[in-house]
């Protein structure tokens, strides 16, 4: 029988929330729920160690799991896990931090296998950065990188042995940051198994930004009417591509209504302000500006937020000119500007059935959505 102890007794102070961070939502699901659904098929029993204040809320999250219960934590992590261990019925126990919601079935299975084979299994990754030991701001030693690992959870042990270690630590009044430390101190050096980079711990507020974010943008430009002193050009610009047109769009810049809608979609997905804020048309700098240059600047702003486009979808409403012969070139142009494959860029063009300002050939409207992902 296998018991999973899920530690959820933190206060979330470093994450900057007023409450326990594992109750915060991530893509519409509480952080704790991710671990519950990962462990549920593999553990016979799940014990969530939590603070008294969070118990009611956590018990609600446990309702889909009849094999799960809460245990009140203590003042320290050591005390909290000890409280959970005393209730564990399984002969194997897996201790996991609820703040690591991306734990996978493979990690949990590898952990169980390691315990069955070696009596212990600590999830760890080889260090990719050089780590050093330091005191008073000065390096005291530099361990060889190949012998340095960063330790994650879950960490699995034979329940009896881990409980014995905790009992002794409790008597001694010793505090440890994790179970591998306590086990190594009182029992023996535990075995490692390889974890996954994605199994990361949510610590800071930015860790809670959803991995994918969608944005929407729309823009309309009017055509010059009869006798409005239009410039003597015979094209409009859409997606950086010059398209032959009898009617010309009015604009402060090059009038690339498609790129304007797209930029607003990208900025909106990143939670930034709109293009009017970054490129005010009162600024002479942007008179006649090439919108593709502004798009480059928007991409810099989006990247600075740690985000990059995953795909974009654009719908053009225009009664004139005929756009279908130019769609492929627009896709190529955007593919380069957004650093996306062409199959991640959708461009649809349609008329408005002669209805409204689009139908009367008074202007063009473009709608755009952009999906951004964390980089
Ligand atoms: Mg515009």
């Amino acid at each position: 029988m296998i018991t999973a102890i899920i530690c959820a007794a933190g206060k979330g102070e470093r994450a900057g929330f007023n409450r326990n961070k594992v109750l915060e939502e991530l893509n519409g699901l509480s952080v704790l729920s991710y671990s519950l659904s990962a462990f549920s098929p593999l553990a016979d029993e799940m014990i969530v160690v939590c603070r008294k204040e969070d118990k009611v809320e956590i018990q609600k999250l446990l309702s889909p799991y009849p094999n799960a219960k809460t245990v009140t934590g203590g003042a320290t992590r050591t005390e909290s896990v000890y409280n959970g261990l005393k209730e564990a019925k399984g002969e194997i126990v897996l201790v996991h931090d609820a703040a690591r919601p991306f734990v996978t079935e493979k990690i949990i299975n590898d952990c169980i296998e390691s315990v069955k084979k070696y009596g212990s299994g600590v999830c760890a990754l080889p260090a990719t950065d050089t780590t050093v030991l330091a005191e008073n701001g000065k390096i005291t030693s530099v361990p060889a990188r190949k012998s340095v690992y960063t330790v994650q959870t879950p960490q699995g042990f034979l329940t009896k042995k881990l409980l014995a270690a905790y009992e002794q630590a409790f008597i001694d009044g010793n505090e440890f940051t994790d179970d591998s430390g306590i086990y190594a101190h009182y029992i023996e050096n535990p075995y490692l198994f390889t974890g996954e980079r994605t199994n990361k711990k949510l610590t800071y507020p930015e860790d809670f930004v959803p991995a994918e974010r969608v944005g929407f943008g729309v823009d309309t430009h009017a055509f010059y009417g009869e006798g409005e002193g239009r410039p003597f050009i015979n094209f409009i610009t859409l997606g950086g591509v010059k398209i032959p047109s009898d009617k010309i769009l009015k604009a402060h810049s090059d009038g690339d209504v498609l790129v304007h809608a797209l930029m607003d979609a990208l900025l909106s997905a990143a939670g930034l302000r709109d293009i009017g804020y970054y490129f005010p048309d009162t600024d002479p700098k942007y008179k006649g500006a090439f919108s593709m240059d502004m798009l480059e600047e928007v991409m810099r702003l989006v990247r600075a937020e740690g985000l990059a486009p995953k795909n974009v979808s654009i719908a053009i409403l225009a009664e004139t000119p005929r756009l279908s012969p130019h769609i492929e070139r627009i896709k190529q142009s955007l593919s380069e500007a957004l650093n996306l494959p062409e199959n991640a860029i959708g461009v649809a063009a349609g008329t408005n059935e002669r209805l409204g300002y689009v139908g009367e050939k008074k202007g063009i409207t473009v709608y755009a959505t952009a999906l951004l992902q964390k980089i």
Side-chain angles (χ1 to χ4, degrees):
M1 183 172 163
I2 291 165
T3 300
I5 294 179
I6 300 174
C7 306
K11 288 207 230 37
E13 280 160 342
R14 271 188 296 178
F17 297 119
N18 299 323
R19 61 176 192 154
N20 192 340
K21 65 182 170 184
V22 304
L23 296 171
E24 288 297 319
E25 285 200 353
L26 197 67
N27 299 321
L29 199 66
S30 77
V31 169
L32 173 61
S33 296
Y34 284 80
S35 293
L36 292 172
S37 82
F39 278 93
S40 166
L42 301 165
D44 304 287
E45 173 188 48
M46 296 196 289
I47 296 174
V48 178
V49 186
C50 65
R51 295 191 304 155
K52 257 208 304 280
E53 300 90 302
D54 295 330
K55 224 170 199 179
V56 172
E57 207 168 336
I58 285 180
Q59 262 156 2
K60 270 187 226 154
L61 298 175
L62 298 189
S63 64
Y65 307 102
N67 60 342
K69 63 172 182 177
T70 58
V71 164
T72 308
T76 61
R77 188 185 188 279
T78 304
E79 208 180 318
S80 291
V81 176
Y82 185 37
N83 289 354
L85 268 176
K86 285 188 279 192
E87 301 275 328
K89 292 195 188 74
E91 53 275 10
I92 289 177
V93 64
L94 313 177
V95 185
H96 182 66
D97 285 333
R100 290 186 194 273
F102 307 120
V103 61
T104 60
E105 197 170 311
K106 180 179 185 304
I107 290 177
I108 298 169
N109 267 325
D110 288 353
C111 188
I112 294 168
E113 285 314 305
S114 179
V115 179
K116 284 183 177 166
K117 219 164 155 183
Y118 306 112
S120 57
V122 171
C123 189
L125 279 182
T128 48
D129 293 329
T130 296
T131 50
V132 300
L133 299 180
E135 257 169 69
N136 305 320
K138 199 173 169 193
I139 292 175
T140 51
S141 77
V142 184
R145 200 168 69 190
K146 66 172 174 29
S147 61
V148 177
Y149 288 77
T150 53
V151 169
Q152 307 180 332
T153 66
Q155 302 184 0
F157 306 92
L158 296 173
T159 310
K160 245 195 270 167
K161 285 195 173 177
L162 188 64
L163 185 60
Y166 267 89
E167 271 162 358
Q168 199 53 50
F170 204 67
I171 291 165
D172 297 349
N174 277 344
E175 181 59 28
F176 294 83
T177 55
D178 78 343
D179 306 281
S180 65
I182 212 164
Y183 191 85
H185 189 82
Y186 289 109
I187 310 290
E188 61 186 348
N189 291 332
Y191 278 82
L192 299 179
F193 70 95
T194 307
E196 287 165 23
R197 233 159 41 90
T198 48
N199 182 28
K200 64 173 189 171
K201 191 170 184 174
L202 304 181
T203 307
Y204 300 105
E206 56 268 31
D207 296 335
F208 288 79
V209 174
E212 292 186 330
R213 313 160 50 124
V214 70
F216 177 66
V218 59
D219 194 28
T220 298
H221 279 236
F223 287 124
Y224 280 97
E226 291 292 325
E228 277 192 304
R230 54 168 274 185
F232 292 103
I233 51 170
N234 56 358
F235 63 86
I236 60 169
T237 307
L238 291 179
V241 174
K242 285 179 179 161
I243 294 166
S245 179
D246 298 337
K247 287 184 163 277
I248 301 305
L249 292 172
K250 293 179 184 174
H252 184 72
S253 65
D254 61 358
D256 195 330
V257 54
L258 185 156
V259 171
H260 295 178
L262 177 60
M263 289 193 288
D264 269 344
L266 292 164
L267 291 167
S268 176
L272 296 168
R273 301 284 297 268
D274 59 20
I275 53 170
Y277 177 85
Y278 297 105
F279 312 104
D281 58 12
T282 48
D283 189 336
K285 196 164 80 180
Y286 300 113
K287 186 153 175 57
F290 194 42
S291 298
M292 292 299 275
D293 291 341
M294 294 192 243
L295 178 58
E296 212 180 298
E297 179 58 28
V298 165
M299 286 291 285
R300 265 196 289 276
L301 291 168
V302 165
R303 254 185 245 116
E305 297 296 312
L307 296 163
K310 192 170 185 186
N311 78 300
V312 299
S313 173
I314 293 159
I316 311 166
L317 273 186
E319 208 74 25
T320 186
R322 222 167 83 74
L323 296 174
S324 60
H326 309 285
I327 299 295
E328 279 312 308
R329 274 171 64 217
I330 293 174
K331 287 179 65 164
Q332 283 162 15
S333 161
L334 295 177
S335 157
E336 235 168 87
L338 300 172
N339 196 19
L340 276 179
E342 279 175 45
N343 64 10
I345 297 164
V347 180
T351 70
N352 210 36
E353 297 294 340
R354 301 195 182 155
L355 294 169
Y357 65 88
V358 171
E360 291 162 15
K361 302 184 182 177
K362 288 182 175 164
I364 291 180
T365 290
V366 178
Y367 302 94
T369 53
L371 186 67
L372 301 181
Q373 62 185 337
K374 271 193 183 182
I375 44 176

